[in-house]
Amino acid sequence: MGWHNEPVPWSELERRLSDRPVVADARGDGGDSPAWSAKRGPYVPPATVASRPRRRRSGAVDYVELHCHSNFSFLDGASAPEELAEEAARLNLTALALTDHDGLYGVVRFSEAAAALGVPTVFGAELTIDGPRTSQAGVADPGGRHLVVLARDVTGYARLSRAISAAQMAAPEKGLPRIGLPELAPLAGGHWQVLTGCRKGAVPATLVEAGPAAAAQELAALVGAFGAEHVAVEIWDHGDPVDSARNDALVGLAARAGLDVVATNNVHYATPARHRLATALAAVRARRSLDEVDGWLPAAASAHLRSGAEQARRFARYPGAVERAAELGRACAFDLALVAPNLPNYPVPAGHTEMTWLRELTRRGVERRYPPPGNHKALAQIAHELEVIEALGFPGYFLIVWDIVEFCRSNDIYCQGRGSAANSAVCYALGITNADAVGLGLLFERFLSPERDGPPDIDVDIESDRREEAIQYVYERYGRENAAQVANVITYRPKSAVRDMGRALGHPPGALDAWSKQIEGWSLSEAFPADTADPPDRSGHVPAGQGPPKRDQFAEVPPAVVDLARQVEGFPRHLGIHSGGMVICDRPVVEVCPVEWG
């Protein structure tokens, strides 16, 4: 914490002391500490997008972008999932796929934004096939072959999540997922649509390196693994001199194999304006400056979302490629809410249901917490709370939390329920919290009510020195397949944003150290306020009329660094592990979301 902290309004101070969740933007500090982790609020579409109705224009060309990376491809995508969904809505795309590298990290944010904007969603990933066994840190063009896999339905999503988990868990070290076609083929089960992928796909790469005959063998291997009806040859055009010749050859291979051809744009950012940031992130990934990595960078801002009409013009020489992309996209689109898991059934004694057992445990707690006489008010409140809990179907949730607290108590591990759970007399009776909600006159509806969406939020603090015992108990109780620790997304904050973007632009380490120290304790918007509505141009220069920084101490930071740092602030940088957060599912976690080594 620096000396120049932003002012905190009384309303915000009261919210924090009351432990109410943030409903707008809440970024935390970007680290992996549970105390400083952000709690993301609901997605709110920008006014300019939200006010635009989703109507098909007459003459509009149906098109689904089937190959698209967000910033959850970690330094290989320059737009957030929400930004991609907003641009897809603006372009009136039929649907949009999200295919980040070796993970499904951004699918929830993507799904929420797309649903709010009326954009159908396709979920997939670009898998690394037989990837390298040594670290690729600092490598300008990391090795490995890529394969784009799209889930055709909910079952396909679960199978893809399991495949990604297998690849991540088979990694020789963190960040090197690897899986081969022999392992992938049994997992598909006819529920995937496979695309041959980008320049690193086995078929396009072999075509360029070894010619059509060798590429045909690679294509035959994909058909043998997944079936001809589930494989499509992908073509794209970024204006590179080799694109047209390669696409001609790929279309020829598809014709001889009797396979569909689909047009994509191998998207890595929403609009051309993000190209500069995409190149800077590539330099950060390669641990080089933009000058040093220039030979590996694309020549133009071509990897952005395009409308169906534009794609139809660009691929006019390949009839049906755009139309087939739309058909596949419509066939693969589904709502991610269908994937949402439930909690496992809590094991109750014979003759009981979860609700009757919760009532019995609460009755025992009332004898201890609210002994007669004079407990009529407490009994009435608890009866009301139990009715709400039963109506909303959450008795198992309370039993699971009570079970963890009981384990800690019986093993003399200090634990304490906190937050809005203190408003519940049932939680007090069960021993989850130590605040007498009835005696203090607390409002139960702040904790749980029929108007709330999803289960209540019961946070249990467990002493750090013995937290691992509780974690292992959860694994033993519910099975290692059905439980996992939560990953934290480490995001760019002002210091790291200025440092990484300055490094990408070739500034010396001493300058990076000085600038990052200066920015400590400030937000970028406070340190570098914009006096005009005009953004910096694509070269990074601030337009004429842009005022000086608010604080003279920041004046030496180049405008180009400030521009890129502003764009990357809040972007995911890498994953960390939550020291105490866990998920428990009624099915293997790997069928809900991929897991990987901490």
Side-chain angles (χ1 to χ4, degrees):
M1 181 177 290
W3 291 102
H4 307 288
N5 299 308
E6 298 180 21
V8 179
W10 280 108
S11 59
E12 172 64 9
L13 181 62
E14 187 274 336
R15 183 199 65 76
R16 296 183 187 182
L17 292 174
S18 301
D19 198 39
R20 286 202 302 275
V22 181
V23 296
D25 179 35
R27 297 173 294 179
D29 72 345
D32 58 358
S33 166
W36 298 106
S37 298
K39 290 188 177 180
R40 182 172 53 86
Y43 171 75
V44 179
T48 54
V49 179
S51 61
R52 185 182 297 115
R54 280 275 294 171
R55 291 195 296 264
R56 299 297 296 170
R57 295 185 295 269
S58 59
V61 177
D62 282 344
Y63 176 63
V64 176
E65 180 54 64
L66 297 174
H67 188 167
C68 180
H69 296 275
S70 74
N71 53 13
F72 280 92
S73 279
F74 297 110
L75 304 180
D76 195 36
S79 289
E82 296 89 341
E83 183 183 356
L84 293 166
E86 290 162 8
E87 181 65 6
R90 189 189 72 82
L91 296 173
N92 217 2
L93 295 187
T94 307
L96 178 63
L98 189 67
T99 56
D100 283 318
H101 287 295
D102 299 301
L104 301 170
Y105 309 108
V107 295
V108 173
R109 292 174 55 170
F110 172 60
S111 176
E112 290 177 355
L117 298 165
V119 178
T121 47
V122 179
F123 302 98
E126 187 166 21
L127 304 182
T128 301
I129 306 299
D130 295 326
R133 291 186 174 276
T134 57
S135 174
Q136 300 295 286
V139 177
D141 192 18
R145 296 299 194 208
H146 294 173
L147 183 69
V148 176
V149 177
L150 305 175
R152 285 182 168 270
D153 48 31
V154 173
T155 302
Y157 177 95
R159 289 170 176 261
L160 176 58
S161 179
R162 185 176 285 277
I164 294 171
S165 300
Q168 294 284 1
M169 300 302 283
E173 63 179 83
K174 185 172 173 60
L176 294 176
R178 56 181 296 110
I179 194 168
L181 285 183
E183 294 81 30
L184 277 178
L187 292 171
H191 294 276
W192 293 348
Q193 177 64 47
V194 173
L195 309 184
T196 51
C198 62
R199 67 180 181 87
K200 288 191 175 183
V203 176
T206 303
L207 177 65
V208 173
E209 295 168 2
Q217 293 179 357
E218 294 288 349
L219 187 57
L222 292 179
V223 171
F226 304 106
E229 68 275 23
H230 300 302
V231 176
V233 173
E234 176 181 349
I235 57 175
W236 72 98
D237 187 349
H238 285 174
D240 190 275
V242 77
D243 285 354
S244 293
R246 185 199 57 243
N247 286 341
D248 288 345
L250 287 172
V251 170
L253 287 173
R256 289 189 289 275
L259 301 177
D260 288 327
V261 175
V262 296
T264 80
N265 202 44
N266 188 14
V267 170
H268 283 72
Y269 37 88
T271 64
R274 287 290 197 184
H275 171 65
R276 178 69 168 170
L277 177 61
T279 59
L281 291 172
V284 172
R285 186 177 69 250
R287 297 183 180 177
R288 309 181 190 200
S289 69
L290 281 167
D291 286 341
E292 294 169 328
V293 80
D294 184 64
W296 288 275
L297 297 177
S302 300
H304 59 88
L305 285 171
R306 300 176 188 269
S307 68
E310 184 176 5
Q311 286 290 79
R313 289 193 299 269
R314 293 172 67 86
F315 292 94
R317 64 186 294 179
Y318 309 113
V322 171
E323 292 81 357
R324 187 55 183 146
E327 292 171 5
L328 283 179
R330 282 194 295 265
C332 294
F334 63 88
D335 188 345
L336 190 65
L338 299 173
V339 180
N342 296 313
L343 286 170
N345 293 326
Y346 183 80
V348 298
H352 279 283
T353 65
E354 287 183 337
M355 192 63 217
T356 61
W357 186 235
L358 177 62
R359 288 183 181 277
E360 172 61 21
L361 291 175
T362 305
R363 183 192 64 78
R364 297 176 187 179
V366 167
E367 293 178 355
R368 182 178 68 257
R369 295 285 203 179
Y370 295 111
N375 63 350
H376 303 292
K377 184 177 180 181
L379 291 176
Q381 176 63 29
I382 285 176
H384 165 67
E385 292 187 14
L386 289 172
E387 287 178 3
V388 174
I389 292 169
E390 182 174 16
L392 297 179
F394 294 142
Y397 177 80
F398 282 80
L399 289 174
I400 288 172
V401 176
W402 168 83
D403 183 58
I404 296 171
V405 171
E406 277 298 297
F407 167 80
C408 292
R409 183 176 292 113
S410 61
N411 287 275
D412 199 27
I413 301 172
Y414 179 76
C415 74
Q416 178 65 63
R418 64 175 177 85
S420 60
N423 292 55
S424 168
V426 168
C427 286
Y428 179 61
L430 292 173
I432 294 173
T433 61
N434 282 324
D436 179 0
V438 177
L440 294 172
L442 302 179
L443 182 64
F444 173 68
E445 283 66 25
R446 273 195 57 214
F447 169 63
L448 181 62
S449 70
E451 289 74 26
R452 288 177 60 99
D453 183 20
D457 185 14
I458 303 178
D459 293 321
V460 179
D461 287 336
I462 302 173
E463 61 174 301
S464 58
D465 289 346
R466 302 187 64 187
R467 188 180 296 142
E468 184 63 27
E469 296 177 48
I471 291 172
Q472 293 304 317
Y473 172 74
V474 172
Y475 279 132
E476 293 170 7
R477 180 71 156 164
Y478 301 101
R480 286 195 169 266
E481 282 199 345
N482 290 45
Q485 285 196 260
V486 175
N488 273 359
V489 179
I490 313 305
T491 57
Y492 270 107
R493 302 298 290 147
K495 284 181 63 176
S496 57
V498 167
R499 178 177 289 278
D500 271 8
M501 295 303 101
R503 182 184 296 112
L505 292 173
H507 293 285
L512 303 179
D513 291 340
W515 298 338
S516 63
K517 288 178 181 177
Q518 288 175 359
I519 203 70
E520 184 172 10
W522 295 94
S523 68
L524 289 174
S525 60
E526 184 180 25
F528 307 101
D531 288 350
T532 73
D534 297 326
D537 62 29
R538 286 174 55 191
S539 67
H541 296 296
V542 181
Q546 183 81 20
K550 183 177 179 181
R551 311 289 180 182
D552 293 339
Q553 71 190 79
F554 303 124
E556 64 185 67
V557 184
V561 175
V562 174
D563 172 35
L564 290 175
R566 276 181 175 148
Q567 292 185 56
V568 83
E569 187 178 10
F571 269 34
R573 180 64 167 79
H574 58 276
L575 292 184
I577 186 169
H578 197 293
S579 61
M582 296 193 74
V583 293
I584 308 171
C585 301
D586 61 342
R587 69 194 80 162
V589 176
V590 296
E591 295 181 3
V592 179
C593 66
V595 301
E596 56 189 87
W597 294 113

